[in-house]
Each structure stands twice: as structure tokens, then as C-alpha cells.
Amino acid sequence: NDVAVLGKVLGALADVEDALGHGEVALDLDRAALRYKYLAGDVDGIAAGHHNFGSHSARHGGQIADGLAHILAAGLVRTLTGGDGGDLALRAAALLVPEMPPGSAPGTVQQLCRISDELPGVDLAGLLARLEPDTGAAEDAYRQVLARVQALAAGT
């Protein structure tokens, strides 16, 4: 009955399935892990879950745009919390940018949330509102994330 641990275990199993090349299984486990991490309110786990789901979506599902959005969500959460892994998320996002048409990344927090919140149990909009109640500040942070990702993608 420990939903926080369940989220972590499912996330770890998703990584194992990813390493074995079982992409669809990894994605299913990632979805479940994110759902439990949101239920538990595990902010660090939520960021890690978005990052992993994004990476697995891009690699196994061919869903580059969705993958990028989830990795950007991870980067934004890490930026707002000052948590570890923010640079890792931004570098991972930068690797996907060349595979996308220019300007196709979600340009606003609202667009980012709309994509992320399509997964059952995910409430990125609610999480971000708790982390940064000032929507203007959240948008500024997201613009900084996007600028850093673009700079990394350009090699500057």
C-alpha cells in the first residue's frame, strides 16, 4: 500500500525493460509509475518519471514530440525545485531538438501541460501551480529552460 515505493519500483522495472529492448512494456510501466508518483506527491520522482517516459517515448515509440515535451516537463520541475538532474534533462531535450521541425516544441507552460496531462493520472498543471503559484514566474522559468535547450542543441 506504499504508493511512493510502488511508483519507484515500476519506474525501475521500466528501465530494466528498456535495457532489454522491450519498449512498449517500458512505456506501459513508465505510465503506471508516473501515475503512482503523482498520487504520492513525489516531486523528485515525478521529474524522473517524466524524463524516463520522454526518453522511452522518443526511443521506442517514435514519439519525438511527446518525448521532448515530457523531458522539458522534467527540466522545468527540476528548475523550479532546484533539484538534481536539471542539466541532464536539458541535455536530453537538446538531443531531440534536431529531430523536430523548428518551433515545434511546446512554447508555453500551458501547451506543455496539455501534452503531459494527456497521460492518465498526470497533473503537471497542478504540480506546477503548487511549485510556483505565480504563473508569470513559471512561464519565465520555462522560457529559460527552452533557451538553454536551444543553446545546447546549437552547441553554444
Side-chain angles (χ1 to χ4, degrees):
N1 293 328
D2 190 337
V3 294
V5 171
L6 186 54
K8 290 177 183 179
V9 169
L10 290 170
L13 288 173
D15 288 340
V16 170
E17 293 294 342
D18 172 58
L20 293 172
H22 304 150
E24 283 304 314
V25 176
L27 287 168
D28 287 343
L29 288 166
D30 280 329
R31 285 183 196 96
L34 263 172
R35 194 169 47 248
Y36 284 108
K37 290 173 181 183
Y38 270 93
L39 277 174
D42 177 7
V43 177
D44 185 58
I46 290 168
H50 278 291
H51 186 141
N52 290 343
F53 180 76
S55 295
H56 297 159
S57 292
R59 186 169 44 255
H60 296 295
Q63 301 296 319
I64 305 299
D66 284 350
L68 177 60
H70 283 278
I71 295 170
L72 289 170
L76 179 57
V77 169
R78 300 270 193 214
T79 297
L80 291 174
T81 62
D84 292 336
D87 285 342
L88 180 64
L90 300 184
R91 286 193 301 272
L95 293 174
L96 295 177
V97 168
E99 298 181 46
M100 302 278 298
S104 60
T108 66
V109 170
Q110 183 180 20
Q111 291 169 346
L112 181 68
C113 290
R114 190 174 21 248
I115 294 167
S116 297
D117 290 356
E118 288 177 1
L119 290 180
V122 170
D123 182 15
L124 181 62
L127 174 64
L128 295 177
R130 287 188 303 280
L131 294 176
E132 180 51 75
D134 179 352
T135 57
E139 285 292 344
D140 287 343
Y142 185 57
R143 280 192 290 276
Q144 291 171 10
V145 164
L146 288 175
R148 180 73 177 126
V149 167
Q150 288 297 332
L152 287 167
T156 58

